[in-house]
């Protein structure tokens, strides 16, 4: 097995807005950075919920539909539901307690770790526009790109994952 990871690149697509799937993406991203792999995460549609900054949300210059959409969607990583067994939030609370008991970092800590380690976070320009989000509503360091830009990045990667 070749353990040389020098100049390797991982490209992730995060399409899911689920807590556990975002946790999986960030676990992989952090682990890859720990072994020296360059990592980018392209967040599209529901995946954008992970990187919305709760302190930067605005309703200014939004249509009625966009305002209604904002009022019923998660803001920031800790508001994401589980993909399975959410049970109106009880399942997620159980998972978070189990994570705490095993000293597993929260989703927010995984996200902050990825940011500090230099994971590049991209948002799908079309998804942001369709969902009525503003570029300034996202985490610092986030970059808005097109699907074509993502494909150029992914085609130059050694591994691509879709979550």
């Amino acid at each position: 097995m070749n353990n040389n990871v020098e100049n390797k690149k991982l490209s992730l697509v995060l399409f899911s807005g689920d807590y556990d799937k975002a946790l999986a993406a960030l676990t992989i991203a952090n682990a890859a950075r720990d072994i020296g792999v360059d990592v980018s995460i392209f967040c599209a549609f529901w995946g954008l919920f992970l990187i919305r900054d709760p302190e930067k949300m605005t309703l200014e210059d939004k249509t009625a539909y966009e305002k209604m959409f904002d009022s019923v969607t998660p803001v920031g990583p800790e508001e994401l539901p589980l993909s399975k067994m959410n049970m109106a939030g009880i399942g997620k609370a159980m998972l978070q307690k189990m994570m705490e008991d095993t000293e597993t970092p929260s989703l927010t800590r995984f996200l902050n770790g990825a940011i500090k380690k230099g994971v590049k976070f991209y948002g799908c320009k079309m998804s942001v526009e369709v969902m009525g989000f503003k570029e300034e509503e996202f985490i610092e360091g986030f970059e808005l790109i097109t699907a074509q830009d993502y494909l150029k990045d992914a085609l130059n990667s050694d591994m691509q994952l879709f979550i």
Side-chain angles (χ1 to χ4, degrees):
M1 181 165 138
N2 182 359
N3 290 328
N4 184 8
V5 295
E6 189 174 318
N7 299 319
K8 297 292 183 183
K9 182 164 175 36
L10 168 63
S11 176
L12 290 157
V13 172
L14 181 61
F15 183 77
S16 173
D18 296 320
Y19 189 94
D20 46 321
K21 292 177 183 178
L23 186 61
L26 290 173
T27 299
I28 293 166
N30 277 292
R33 286 301 300 140
D34 287 344
I35 62 170
V37 175
D38 286 333
V39 179
S40 64
I41 301 178
F42 181 70
C43 300
F45 286 99
W46 314 120
L48 289 167
F49 296 148
L50 172 68
I51 57 173
R52 290 172 77 193
D53 188 328
E55 296 183 19
K56 295 182 180 177
M57 300 308 300
T58 181
L59 295 178
E60 191 174 320
D61 298 324
K62 290 191 176 188
T63 67
Y65 285 129
E66 293 168 344
K67 289 175 184 176
M68 284 189 291
F69 191 71
D70 271 359
S71 72
V72 297
T73 56
V75 178
E78 297 307 325
E79 286 194 10
L80 300 179
L82 286 184
S83 61
K84 304 281 186 225
M85 298 175 53
N86 192 49
M87 301 178 291
I90 296 168
K92 180 179 163 188
M94 289 170 40
L95 174 65
Q96 289 173 316
K97 177 64 174 133
M98 293 162 60
M99 289 171 64
E100 183 183 307
D101 289 349
T102 58
E103 299 181 9
T104 302
S106 68
L107 186 58
T108 299
R109 285 190 52 209
F110 271 109
L111 176 60
N112 290 336
I115 292 166
K116 286 179 185 165
K117 291 175 185 175
V119 171
K120 295 174 196 84
F121 287 90
Y122 300 120
C124 174
K125 184 177 187 298
M126 182 188 74
S127 299
V128 168
E129 290 172 354
V130 167
M131 296 174 87
F133 300 146
K134 305 291 182 207
E135 191 169 354
E136 59 271 11
E137 293 180 300
F138 293 94
I139 60 172
E140 195 166 324
F142 155 89
E143 185 180 338
L144 202 56
I145 64 173
T146 65
Q148 291 87 349
D149 294 327
Y150 158 72
L151 289 169
K152 291 174 189 173
D153 181 65
L155 288 169
N156 288 309
S157 296
D158 299 287
M159 180 186 287
Q160 303 86 27
L161 298 173
F162 187 94
I163 301 173

